[in-house]
Amino acid sequence: MPRLYGQLCPVARALDLLGNRWTLLIVRDLLRGRGRFQELTESLPGIAPNILSDRLKLLEEGGIVTRRFYSDHPPRAEYVLTEKGRELDVVVGALAAWGARHENAHSVPVHRACGHPVNVSYVCPDCDKLLTRESVELQYRTADRSS
């Protein structure tokens, strides 16, 4: 696999494998359980089949995915994340959270298993009470006024 950045930095080395256009979106969809070529094509509008094929080969060479045949005649394969690939769930999740906060205020978190929108809530580490986004914002407004 070519080293695009020519650096020993772990970020650069990770980007050598994952930094091509479409690659992390492919990983995102594999994390969601879309592993067949047609499913990936449908979930990634605008990706050319040869680019998808190329990215999947690079991910396979990098140990991120493995190809598993589910039909012999005609031969048909699906792509499954390896343990190394499943570890990227943290990376993709962090990018999604960052993007939702800073680049797309209208995005909504969705349940990975079924795709339905979910309300994200947090529990206060001190009092164990459930905090919604609204209650935290209200607390900040109250604190700002008293300062």
Side-chain angles (χ1 to χ4, degrees):
M1 180 165 306
R3 289 183 49 204
L4 304 174
Y5 295 98
Q7 298 180 25
L8 295 178
C9 164
V11 173
R13 298 290 304 265
L15 287 174
D16 285 342
L17 178 58
L18 300 168
N20 291 320
R21 184 173 185 203
W22 298 106
T23 302
L24 281 177
L25 295 177
I26 293 167
V27 170
R28 175 203 63 191
D29 286 354
L30 290 170
L31 285 164
R32 293 176 174 172
R34 296 179 183 122
R36 295 185 178 182
F37 195 89
Q38 187 61 36
E39 291 173 328
L40 291 166
T41 302
E42 291 168 1
S43 69
L44 297 165
I47 191 169
N50 62 321
I51 298 294
L52 177 56
S53 181
D54 178 63
R55 297 301 185 265
L56 287 167
K57 285 178 189 168
L58 288 173
L59 288 169
E60 190 175 9
E61 290 170 9
I64 303 296
V65 302
T66 187
R67 191 170 29 157
R68 183 170 54 198
F69 287 92
Y70 64 89
S71 171
D72 292 330
H73 301 288
R76 301 224 187 259
E78 65 182 346
Y79 296 87
V80 180
L81 291 166
T82 62
E83 184 177 333
K84 180 179 173 180
R86 286 188 302 273
E87 289 179 20
L88 289 168
D89 186 31
V90 176
V91 175
V92 172
L95 280 171
W98 185 89
R101 269 194 317 278
H102 299 290
E103 299 300 320
N104 188 359
H106 302 292
S107 66
V108 180
V110 294
H111 185 231
R112 180 172 294 145
C114 68
H116 286 100
V118 295
N119 288 328
V120 177
S121 56
Y122 302 93
V123 175
C124 176
D126 294 327
C127 67
D128 288 328
K129 290 195 179 187
L130 196 62
L131 300 175
T132 64
R133 195 173 283 189
E134 293 79 22
S135 69
V136 171
E137 289 173 358
L138 178 60
Q139 289 172 8
Y140 284 136
R141 281 190 218 115
T142 304
D144 289 342
R145 287 187 190 136
S146 64
S147 300

